[in-house]
Amino acid sequence: GVAASRRAEVWRDEVALWEDTVRRSPRLYTPRLNLGFAYDVRGRYDEAERQYLEAARIRPTPEAIQNLVMVRAKRAMTSGRPR
């Protein structure tokens, strides 16, 4: 029962799920990319950038690079300054 309760807490939302997955498997590309996306859609651009950068370091795919460029553009538009 206790273990199920703990797992249910992780599954409460997408961010919690991917944060837990990245903690458990920090060298995997897909969890980093998905966590970056979860942060991105919530406007957490700095955190999204860190995850996209790490995903691109692990596997420099066009998707990881494009997501990184897009999150930087979003942050620039919301902050009024490029980074």
Side-chain angles (χ1 to χ4, degrees):
V2 173
S5 175
R6 287 184 189 144
R7 294 310 304 159
E9 189 65 23
V10 168
W11 286 84
R12 75 184 179 276
D13 69 21
E14 189 177 15
V15 170
L17 169 65
W18 291 117
E19 285 175 339
D20 182 66
T21 305
V22 165
R23 252 191 313 279
R24 293 171 183 270
S25 302
R27 295 185 210 157
L28 294 180
Y29 165 83
T30 301
R32 294 273 183 183
L33 193 69
N34 289 340
L35 180 55
F37 183 76
Y39 287 146
D40 190 351
V41 298
R42 287 164 179 77
R44 295 167 63 176
Y45 300 133
D46 291 339
E47 293 162 295
E49 180 180 15
R50 283 191 290 278
Q51 295 306 316
Y52 290 149
L53 278 170
E54 188 59 23
R57 188 191 66 73
I58 293 166
R59 188 184 318 153
T61 65
E63 183 178 19
I65 304 301
Q66 181 179 353
N67 288 353
L68 179 59
V69 169
M70 293 303 292
V71 80
R72 286 178 172 170
K74 287 177 192 177
R75 187 180 45 228
M77 289 184 341
T78 61
S79 70
R81 60 178 169 75
R83 188 165 187 190

